[in-house]
């Protein structure tokens, strides 16, 4: 990389596909790094070029398994010890974010623990996208740039979906604020699915609050894990007279049997971003890239510009 470039971009193993797209958008090469694996599963990180005095951006989503998080922590530590001017963690998908509070006695708050680990390792800033809960930003004592995939999704909605007959929906009450933002911005009606759970990843009962008869429904969510909730909501919409049902979600966690459920559901289409790599075969899934958005955020952080204009809603 040119000596004039004040920043360097590096990537962990499983987020390299996205880091390469970000670097293409920035017009810079991806930094050289070596991650050595040992027979017992331990690994070591080393930078293969000087990073002294540079702003270092480390691209790594912390999706399962936990090796991705550990890799990032080692990358941060190595950068601090190599005298980087600043270390900025770029985490498109922030894992453990569902553990954001004590919802019953004697449980951990995983999101706070991860924030503490990243801070202790030595990050100077965090750039992330569509946190499961906005208050997680407050778990950090460093600046957090919280990006939203809405600008990418809204472009797709306006150009690809039947706006004249569209209805925004949320698969659970917790996503009401998110869905309401889309509804108000687009001037479209909104309905809510109310669900109750027997246990994690298992929906016991679901009902619709609102009328979807004759409408094209668009379900809005931040992530899809086993796809139990969103496919149940889609099927329920169709049973209640919806003309068609599509869904958008920022993060494609898609644990088994999610792809099968989406394929067999009433969903016409399922749209994700590439914050998490999705390699499974599912004809209904469409992936939109967030690389340009993250590249622009990195450029603005380096130049000291505001990033608020990147937010549509």
């Amino acid at each position: 990389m040119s000596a004039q470039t004040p920043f360097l971009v590096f990537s962990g193993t499983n987020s390299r596909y996205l880091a390469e797209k970000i670097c293409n958008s920035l017009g810079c090469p991806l930094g050289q790094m070596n991650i050595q694996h040992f027979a017992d599963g331990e690994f070591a990180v080393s930078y293969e070029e000087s990073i002294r005095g540079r702003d270092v951006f480390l691209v790594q989503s912390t999706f399962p398994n936990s090796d991705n998080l550990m890799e990032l922590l080692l990358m941060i530590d190595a950068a601090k010890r190599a005298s980087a001017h600043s270390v900025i963690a770029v985490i498109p998908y922030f894992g453990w974010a569902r553990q954001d509070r004590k919802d019953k006695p004697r449980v951990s708050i995983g999101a706070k623990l991860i924030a503490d680990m990243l801070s202790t390792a030595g990050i100077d800033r965090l750039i992330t996208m569509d946190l499961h809960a906005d208050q997680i930003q407050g778990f950090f004592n460093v600046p957090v740039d919280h990006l939203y995939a809405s600008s990418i999704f809204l472009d797709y909605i306006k150009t690809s979906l039947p706006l004249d007959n569209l209805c925004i929906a949320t698969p659970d009450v917790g996503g009401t604020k998110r869905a309401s933002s889309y509804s108000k911005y687009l001037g479209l009606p909104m309905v809510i699915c109310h669900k109750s759970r027997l246990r994690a990843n298992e929906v016991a009962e679901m009902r619709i609050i609102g009328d979807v008869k004759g409408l094209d429904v668009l379900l809005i969510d931040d992530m899809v894990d086993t796809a139990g909730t969103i496919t149940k909501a889609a099927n329920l919409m169709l049973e209640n007279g919806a003309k068609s049902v599509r869904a958008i979600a920022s993060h494609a966690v898609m644990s088994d049997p999610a792809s099968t459920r989406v394929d067999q559901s009433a969903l016409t289409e399922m749209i994700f971003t590439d914050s998490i790599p999705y390699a499974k075969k599912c004809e209904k899934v469409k992936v939109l890239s967030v690389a340009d958005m993250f590249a622009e955020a990195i450029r603005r952080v380096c130049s000291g510009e505001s990033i608020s204009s990147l937010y549509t809603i």
Side-chain angles (χ1 to χ4, degrees):
M1 186 172 286
S2 169
Q4 282 72 40
T5 307
F7 67 90
L8 293 162
V9 179
F10 295 90
S11 171
T13 303
N14 291 320
S15 290
R16 187 179 180 93
Y17 72 98
L18 182 56
E20 288 174 345
K21 294 179 189 175
I22 290 172
C23 286
N24 285 338
S25 185
L26 287 167
C28 69
L30 185 62
Q32 299 175 35
M33 169 177 283
N34 180 49
I35 300 176
Q36 180 182 4
H37 290 261
F38 302 102
D40 63 352
E42 186 178 324
F43 45 86
V45 169
S46 63
Y47 292 93
E48 300 300 302
E49 58 185 294
S50 175
I51 60 174
R52 182 179 294 273
R54 311 288 275 279
D55 294 319
V56 175
F57 291 85
L58 306 177
V59 180
Q60 179 78 315
S61 285
T62 56
F63 54 92
N65 62 35
S66 55
D67 281 2
N68 292 307
L69 172 62
M70 192 64 200
E71 237 181 51
L72 177 58
L73 292 170
L74 291 173
M75 288 160 64
I76 295 165
D77 184 69
K80 297 296 286 189
R81 296 178 189 278
S83 302
H85 176 259
S86 66
V87 179
I88 299 96
V90 180
I91 309 178
Y93 170 72
F94 187 93
W96 286 271
R98 284 172 282 186
Q99 302 176 45
D100 62 316
R101 66 197 186 283
K102 286 189 70 173
D103 56 354
K104 62 180 182 179
R106 298 177 296 280
V107 296
S108 65
I109 303 179
K112 172 58 175 168
L113 174 62
I114 301 305
D116 289 343
M117 291 168 70
L118 291 168
S119 298
T120 299
I123 64 167
D124 297 290
R125 191 181 201 97
L126 169 68
I127 303 176
T128 189
M129 181 185 80
D130 283 345
L131 289 167
H132 187 66
D134 287 344
Q135 67 264 24
I136 292 172
Q137 296 172 74
F139 293 173
F140 290 88
N141 290 321
V142 298
V144 176
D145 295 313
H146 187 202
L147 307 181
Y148 298 92
S150 56
S151 57
I152 295 161
F153 286 139
L154 285 169
D155 284 343
Y156 182 80
I157 291 168
K158 290 175 182 177
T159 57
S160 305
L161 301 186
L163 285 173
D164 57 332
N165 200 43
L166 198 62
C167 172
I168 302 298
T170 175
D172 56 44
V173 174
T176 302
K177 181 181 177 183
R178 184 182 303 107
S180 178
S181 297
Y182 281 83
S183 173
K184 289 177 182 177
Y185 181 83
L186 294 167
L188 297 171
M190 185 182 88
V191 299
I192 299 169
C193 283
H194 181 269
K195 69 180 180 183
S196 58
R197 290 187 184 274
L198 289 173
R199 57 187 67 89
N201 295 129
E202 187 174 334
V203 179
E205 184 185 11
M206 181 178 286
R207 63 187 65 184
I208 298 175
I209 303 172
D211 184 17
V212 296
K213 190 172 183 179
L215 299 177
D216 296 295
V217 177
L218 180 63
L219 288 158
I220 310 285
D221 212 346
D222 66 320
M223 69 173 73
V224 174
D225 188 352
T226 61
T229 297
I230 206 149
T231 54
K232 191 176 181 69
N235 294 340
L236 189 61
M237 296 288 176
L238 217 60
E239 290 168 11
N240 280 264
K243 187 178 176 183
S244 69
V245 188
R246 294 174 176 83
I248 62 174
S250 303
H251 307 296
V253 180
M254 295 296 278
S255 309
D256 287 334
S259 294
T260 302
R261 283 177 173 171
V262 170
D263 259 337
Q264 296 174 351
S265 73
L267 285 168
T268 301
E269 191 176 35
M270 179 81 240
I271 305 111
F272 294 114
T273 76
D274 57 354
S275 62
I276 297 176
Y278 180 73
K280 295 173 184 176
K281 292 182 179 179
C282 182
E283 292 184 1
K284 292 184 179 182
V285 170
K286 182 178 180 65
V287 178
L288 307 177
S289 184
V290 292
D292 289 344
M293 181 176 69
F294 274 95
E296 182 61 17
I298 289 171
R299 189 190 67 77
R300 294 188 185 196
V301 166
C302 289
S303 61
E305 297 176 52
S306 170
I307 67 167
S308 60
S309 63
L310 294 177
Y311 306 152
T312 305
I313 55 173

